[in-house]
Amino acid sequence: TTRRAGARLRRLLRAAQAHRAHVHVDMESYRVKSATLAIFQTVMMEEEFRELSQVGIVIQCYLRDSGRDLASLRDWAARRGTPVWVRLVKGAYWDHETVLAASSGWPLPVYARKWETDANFERQTRFVLRNGRYLRCALGSHNLRSLAHGMATARFLGLPRSAVELQMLYGMADAEKQALVEMGQRMRIYMPFGELIPGMAYLVRRLLENTSNDSFLRAGFVEQVDPETLLANPEEAGRASGGETTRGGTAENGESAPMTKWTFVNEPLADFALAANREGMGRALAEVQAEIGAGYPLVIADRAIDTAERMEARNPGDVGQVLGYVALAEPQHVEWAVEAACAAQPAWAGLGAARRAEYLRRVAAILRERKFELAAWQILECGKGWREADADVCEAIDFCEYYAAGAIALAESQGVELPGEENRFVYVPRGVTAVIAPWNFPLAILTGMTVAALATGNTAVMKPAEQSSITAAKLMEVFQAAELPAGVVNYLPGRGETVGSRLVEHPRVAMIAFTGSRGVGLAIHRRAAEVSAGLPFVKRVIAEMGGKNAIIVDSDADLDEAVLGVVKSAFGYQGQKCSACSRAIVLEGVFEAFTTRLVEAARSLKIGPATDPGSSVGPVIDAESLARVRKYVEIGGREARKLLSVDAGELAGRGYYIGPQIFADVRPESALAQEEIFGPVLAVMRARDLDEAIRIANGTEYALTGGIFSRSPAHLDQACREMQVGNLYLNRAITGALVGRQPFGGYKMSGIGSKAGGPDYLLQFVLPKTITENTLRRGFAPPPSSGE
């Protein structure tokens, strides 16, 4: 990020020097605040720019940490030796920051009350003016109290009027500007410049901000608030009002208020805008690197078992690096594991849902403690980026908590009581569950399927994907650390044709929970049905089997948002999510504009190792995947128009890297539009109208995820009615489903069974049972006792 953004900043600075212009670096979302400050300070410390004084940076005073940032900036400017300008603003993204914090479970980074921001603006104004040797003061505001305070502070400190520069928007509060200029005050007028539509959007945002209910301009010119109230000290005004929140969406204590009434709360993702989280992940990667080369045995009934045959686990981003050696199970080990699970199952079921939930919550607590470590293993073993790996661990924690609570609710007795008769409806476990998991969500999906089985009283044999066996071994360590009884969970890595097939066929395996390819899923379903013929039960199979997911871009869509959503959905984790967008269906009227922006956005994605937090596109999982993706790229070159093919360069010789690939004018019936690729390949298709777009979207064998970007309520309603998907997303990316919020799963060839992380998922792991008791004794029916 520093390299790319720094190069652009240097070009601007050189142009400014040539034209004797001032350059001010603006501040947008909190997420990039630390990076913006770091890039600015890095470039401005370079010899070429170190003595440049006509530069500055914005500090947003609605941020709670603005004071710390200013103090750090002051110290840096002192070391630099040349002062820089600081433009103090209140902040223009309050709604965005509060909603993001609330939905992510993060602490609120901004002040909850308008008066708190106003008071902080004045505190930071005083700080900058007192440190005028290093920081030059610019006040960007239309609040006359805030501006007057700055002017008065400068006078109190004996500073000249030029020590404070006032900055106001062109065309707004012109009379106030004129009055300030006539007083001899330094004034800078700013306005958007460039393309009309983005400029108009900027002006509309400023108008909305300055006419909001909390705006000084609105209070003074529309509501005719008296001058004494308008110009009152904001801290005194806040205390006088009882400190009530004046902007919705936050709790009285200033922390983010819950946006829902769920009892379940998702595990917060790591906010890598915070240095502590970046440092934590960096340390975890270093510590994990020190463990490379270890061996990982099978675990059956809590006993480690090594085998003669071992598999090398390699880093897909650096194929020369052997991460460890994984023991491979043989058919005999399947027998032992199933026997251990069968032996442990009655006692485990007998514990009851509440006691089992205690174990699962202990598992969740250990996952939290080892969060960065487990994420680091995924980064190395599966090529997941920092955020993707962190999210995977969070989802695993969510599954533990959600299914623990769900199983307790499921165990609550249901039924009907009548005089002389008592009816109870209960659920009982099925027995031993074979969990056959994929590599693309190596911890989350394996944990989810396993703990769903455990929560409902079943026992489990975990067969992870070969490509993610070390991550699965780490999960087994967590189960052991939580002190689950021996045999309740068994870890059985091995080849699918050996271990997986035997588990499916085993006469004592009652249930198979599978996530993976359609071909394997259908084969499991077929084989389970065949072997059930000779068993005393019918094997239950649940299978999530992938998708060929589409995002529709309507003619009135916000193209900026649509491009971001498609790029994230198509190329996040190299397109290796079953929910990934592999088709963008764009209406004719915006096709050229959309594809032009899409190509440039995808071109800007950095290809690199997953260990590099700046990488947007890492390696695909293995050589077989790379060959498959390249095959579809060749098909696209013959059957469609290539819009973008990013060369991985030297990285291609180091690991399984391939850059984003985009093809246009793809025919709906072509292989590129019909077959699951599982890589960074996007087919862009034209549609005359929304009806045709929906027909194209529905025209595959899959029905997993889909989305639409549109401003039309009617079109959004039509998409809700007609798009055949299990998860439909409106005006957002189609990946990143969260447990409880977006229960995940599809139909048609995308899956068999209910949605993971949803209220009815656990029902698949149990059998219903009705118990009826005659309570009529000697001619009367006593009331049910309190213990029943």
Side-chain angles (χ1 to χ4, degrees):
T1 301
T2 301
R3 178 180 56 81
R4 289 186 291 171
R8 295 171 186 169
L9 179 56
R10 291 183 191 96
R11 289 197 298 271
L12 286 172
L13 292 171
R14 289 171 188 138
Q17 285 178 301
H19 294 86
R20 301 179 64 188
H22 183 99
V23 172
H24 221 94
V25 176
D26 205 353
M27 196 70 72
E28 298 277 333
S29 69
Y30 182 70
R31 180 178 62 87
V32 297
K33 187 250 309 173
S34 295
T36 304
L37 285 166
I39 293 165
F40 175 77
Q41 292 176 22
T42 297
V43 173
M44 299 315 303
M45 283 292 278
E46 295 171 0
E47 194 64 33
E48 181 181 359
F49 307 111
R50 190 161 184 162
E51 295 184 1
L52 187 61
S53 61
Q54 293 305 307
V55 291
I57 192 163
V58 165
I59 293 292
Q60 298 162 305
C61 291
Y62 66 6
L63 292 179
R64 296 174 182 272
D65 54 9
S66 55
R68 290 192 297 271
D69 288 338
L70 267 176
S72 176
L73 195 63
R74 183 267 318 274
D75 295 342
W76 165 82
R79 294 192 302 272
R80 180 176 183 251
T82 306
V84 296
W85 285 85
V86 173
R87 180 175 192 253
L88 297 180
V89 301
K90 304 289 177 67
Y93 302 92
W94 190 91
D95 294 323
H96 168 83
E97 300 294 1
T98 52
V99 169
L100 180 63
S103 63
S104 302
W106 295 340
L108 193 62
V110 295
Y111 288 108
R113 303 165 179 88
K114 178 63 164 59
W115 68 262
E116 291 178 300
T117 295
D118 289 340
N120 188 50
F121 187 91
E122 295 188 7
R123 283 195 300 273
Q124 305 318 323
T125 298
R126 294 192 292 271
F127 178 87
V128 174
L129 288 171
R130 289 191 184 110
N131 290 276
R133 182 178 174 185
Y134 311 111
L135 305 176
R136 301 287 171 78
C137 185
L139 304 180
S141 177
H142 294 89
N143 184 315
L144 293 184
R145 158 76 196 195
S146 299
L147 300 180
H149 170 269
M151 296 161 59
T153 300
R155 183 182 302 174
F156 176 80
L157 294 173
L159 301 175
R161 286 180 176 174
S162 60
V164 180
E165 176 178 291
L166 308 182
Q167 299 181 352
M168 301 176 78
L169 182 63
Y170 177 80
M172 187 170 288
D174 287 337
E176 285 69 27
K177 290 194 195 96
Q178 185 62 34
L180 289 165
V181 170
E182 289 175 357
M183 292 172 62
Q185 192 63 46
R186 178 186 175 107
M187 172 72 67
R188 189 183 300 267
I189 308 300
Y190 63 93
M191 63 177 294
F193 177 81
E195 295 181 18
L196 177 62
I197 299 302
M200 290 296 294
Y202 176 86
L203 285 173
V204 168
R205 191 174 69 199
R206 292 280 78 80
L207 287 169
L208 290 173
E209 180 186 359
N210 285 293
T211 56
S212 71
N213 291 338
D214 294 328
S215 166
F216 182 94
L217 294 180
R218 177 186 177 92
F221 292 95
V222 177
E223 298 174 357
Q224 302 297 317
V225 175
D226 64 88
E228 289 75 15
T229 302
L230 280 173
L231 298 175
N233 183 313
E235 291 196 27
E236 294 177 359
R239 285 193 293 270
S241 67
E244 294 182 359
T245 301
T246 55
R247 304 178 79 165
T250 55
E252 281 297 307
N253 62 3
E255 298 302 317
S256 53
M259 297 185 68
T260 70
K261 296 182 179 179
W262 304 328
T263 55
F264 168 76
V265 178
N266 295 97
E267 182 70 15
L269 304 178
D271 182 1
F272 288 109
L274 303 179
N277 289 331
R278 297 194 299 273
E279 292 164 2
M281 184 69 88
R283 283 194 302 271
L285 282 167
E287 291 165 2
V288 163
Q289 290 277 1
E291 296 182 36
I292 284 175
Y296 298 90
L298 319 178
V299 180
I300 298 175
D302 226 14
R303 184 165 61 96
I305 300 174
D306 216 339
T307 61
E309 187 181 7
R310 285 182 159 197
M311 175 189 69
E312 288 183 344
R314 291 182 177 269
N315 180 346
D318 185 358
V319 294
Q321 184 181 52
V322 178
L323 302 175
Y325 300 89
V326 180
L328 295 179
E330 296 296 335
Q332 181 60 47
H333 300 119
V334 177
E335 301 299 323
W336 297 350
V338 174
E339 182 181 345
C342 284
Q345 197 272 324
W348 177 249
L351 289 177
R355 184 73 181 92
R356 293 193 300 270
E358 290 178 11
Y359 279 103
L360 298 188
R361 287 171 178 148
R362 196 180 304 165
V363 170
I366 298 169
L367 290 173
R368 283 190 195 95
E369 292 171 5
R370 299 179 60 177
K371 181 179 178 183
F372 284 148
E373 174 208 345
L374 294 167
W377 274 112
Q378 295 182 57
I379 290 168
L380 291 178
E381 188 178 30
C382 301
K384 282 206 158 193
W386 283 31
R387 284 187 172 85
E388 298 280 359
D390 171 74
D392 194 85
V393 183
C394 290
E395 187 174 12
I397 295 168
D398 284 347
F399 279 131
C400 293
E401 298 282 5
Y402 189 81
Y403 292 150
I408 291 173
L410 204 62
E412 293 176 355
S413 180
Q414 305 174 56
V416 177
E417 293 187 14
L418 299 170
E421 181 178 285
E422 180 181 317
N423 296 286
R424 284 177 287 155
F425 184 79
V426 297
Y427 293 102
V428 297
R430 291 178 176 271
V432 176
T433 301
V435 177
I436 303 175
W439 51 261
N440 62 333
F441 286 85
L443 191 73
I445 293 180
L446 179 62
T447 301
M449 295 191 295
T450 301
V451 299
L454 302 187
T456 46
N458 306 282
T459 51
V461 178
M462 299 191 306
K463 193 280 172 197
E466 294 163 50
Q467 299 93 328
S468 57
S469 294
I470 292 180
T471 299
K474 296 298 176 182
L475 175 60
M476 190 65 217
E477 289 179 7
V478 172
F479 284 130
Q480 290 178 301
E483 299 180 337
L484 268 71
V488 169
V489 181
N490 304 274
Y491 166 66
L492 214 62
R495 305 193 190 283
E497 58 271 24
T498 303
V499 177
S501 296
R502 181 55 187 151
L503 280 171
V504 170
E505 297 170 356
H506 200 287
R508 300 185 75 183
V509 170
M511 180 171 180
I512 301 118
F514 167 80
T515 299
S517 70
R518 181 183 68 173
V520 174
L522 292 178
I524 288 173
H525 188 252
R526 181 174 59 251
R527 187 62 184 141
E530 291 171 354
V531 300
S532 291
L535 300 178
F537 55 81
V538 177
K539 288 179 181 283
R540 179 72 162 94
V541 176
I542 58 175
E544 194 273 283
M545 302 186 298
K548 189 65 182 174
N549 313 300
I551 292 178
I552 294 172
V553 181
D554 201 357
S555 56
D556 67 348
D558 181 329
L559 295 188
D560 291 335
E561 291 297 321
V563 167
L564 290 174
V566 170
V567 167
K568 179 180 179 181
S569 303
F571 304 120
Y573 192 33
Q574 297 77 262
Q576 296 178 121
K577 299 180 181 181
C578 51
S579 58
C581 172
S582 58
R583 297 177 296 154
I585 304 168
V586 186
L587 268 67
E588 186 73 47
V590 294
F591 187 89
E592 296 302 331
F594 173 80
T595 53
T596 298
R597 297 187 192 186
L598 174 71
V599 167
E600 293 309 311
R603 197 194 307 278
S604 71
L605 299 177
K606 179 184 177 182
I607 305 173
T611 50
D612 179 358
S615 296
S616 298
V617 180
V620 295
I621 191 65
D622 56 21
E624 181 181 348
S625 292
L626 182 62
R628 182 179 62 252
V629 174
R630 285 175 172 167
K631 180 192 76 173
Y632 282 103
V633 171
E634 291 175 3
I635 292 172
R638 294 194 303 268
E639 298 183 359
R641 176 166 57 94
K642 185 182 294 185
L643 290 180
L644 179 68
S645 180
V646 178
D647 185 1
E650 296 179 356
L651 288 168
R654 178 180 170 188
Y656 306 122
Y657 292 93
I658 184 167
Q661 312 287 318
I662 302 177
F663 296 91
D665 302 331
V666 177
R667 290 179 289 105
E669 68 277 9
S670 71
L672 218 58
Q674 290 292 321
E675 299 175 13
E676 189 175 36
I677 300 172
F678 232 59
V681 180
L682 176 66
V684 185
M685 310 162 77
R686 296 176 189 262
R688 292 186 303 274
D689 53 30
L690 185 60
D691 290 336
E692 183 181 34
I694 292 176
R695 282 196 301 273
I696 294 171
N698 292 341
T700 74
E701 297 177 333
Y702 297 96
L704 187 54
T705 68
I708 179 172
F709 283 87
S710 176
R711 289 188 172 99
S712 166
H715 287 183
L716 294 176
D717 287 345
Q718 182 180 351
C720 291
R721 292 192 308 271
E722 298 179 10
M723 287 187 73
Q724 297 172 6
V725 292
N727 285 62
L728 178 64
Y729 299 92
L730 311 180
N731 291 316
R732 55 151 283 178
I734 65 172
T735 57
L738 293 176
V739 173
R741 296 194 202 184
Q742 298 103 17
F744 186 77
Y747 51 98
K748 291 168 69 174
M749 286 297 172
S750 286
I752 310 164
S754 188
K755 287 176 168 292
D760 56 354
Y761 185 73
L762 292 182
L763 291 174
Q764 302 168 114
F765 292 80
V766 293
L767 297 165
K769 183 176 183 178
T770 299
I771 301 169
T772 300
E773 179 181 0
N774 174 18
T775 59
L776 182 65
R777 297 183 181 94
R778 292 190 175 89
F780 70 96
S785 69
S786 60
E788 295 183 358

